Amino acid sequence: MKFERPIERSVVAWADQTGYPNDQVSGSPEHGGAHEHFLSLAVEMESDFEPWGKRTRDEEPSADCSCGCRHYAILAGPLGADWGVCMNQRSPRAGLLTFEHQGCPQFEDGPRHLETGIGIA
């Protein structure tokens, strides 16, 4: 099941863009187009949260990758607000481009999250 988010804002298709992802302004039509392009590239797994996978948020653990997982490497630039790479070898998402809300059953709190109760992203 590929997640198709209804687009309610102006979006410049990835193929029509001339800049680089890190040159985009967050919230711009170009940024929206890059985000949609990433969604089309991201691998969806059964272990992801709905609507990308079959896990519901009622199951444990239920934290998003961006809620302070010590294995979630945030991408540089404006797309890093939503995207990263999982670096947990035990995770089914290991080494994959990951949308922050896809989630993973191998979530582990990072040091900052434990100290402050706040997510990193």
Side-chain angles (χ1 to χ4, degrees), residues 89-106:
Q89 292 177 332
R90 297 179 330 201
S91 170
R93 298 210 58 82
L96 296 176
L97 175 66
T98 301
F99 181 50
E100 65 174 330
H101 301 300
Q102 281 180 286
C104 169
Q106 301 298 325

Side-chain angles (χ1 to χ4, degrees), residues 5-35:
R5 183 171 51 162
I7 300 173
E8 300 172 3
R9 62 194 186 293
S10 176
V11 171
V12 175
W14 182 252
D16 297 332
Q17 294 185 32
T18 59
Y20 297 99
N22 286 342
D23 295 336
Q24 297 167 2
V25 176
S26 184
S28 70
E30 292 82 9
H31 183 267
H35 180 75

Side-chain angles (χ1 to χ4, degrees), residues 8-84:
E8 300 172 3
R9 62 194 186 293
S10 176
V11 171
V12 175
W14 182 252
D16 297 332
Q17 294 185 32
T18 59
Y20 297 99
N22 286 342
D23 295 336
Q24 297 167 2
V25 176
S26 184
S28 70
E30 292 82 9
H31 183 267
H35 180 75
E36 296 300 322
H37 185 63
F38 270 19
L39 279 173
S40 73
L41 294 172
V43 174
E44 295 177 352
M45 309 185 90
E46 287 189 18
S47 59
D48 296 344
F49 288 125
E50 295 174 336
W52 303 278
K54 294 188 176 185
R55 265 189 343 138
T56 67
R57 296 210 178 256
D58 298 333
E59 298 172 10
E60 291 295 328
S62 63
D64 286 344
C65 303
S66 65
C67 290
C69 182
R70 67 184 301 259
H71 301 288
Y72 185 65
I74 298 168
L75 295 185
L79 291 168
D82 297 316
W83 293 94

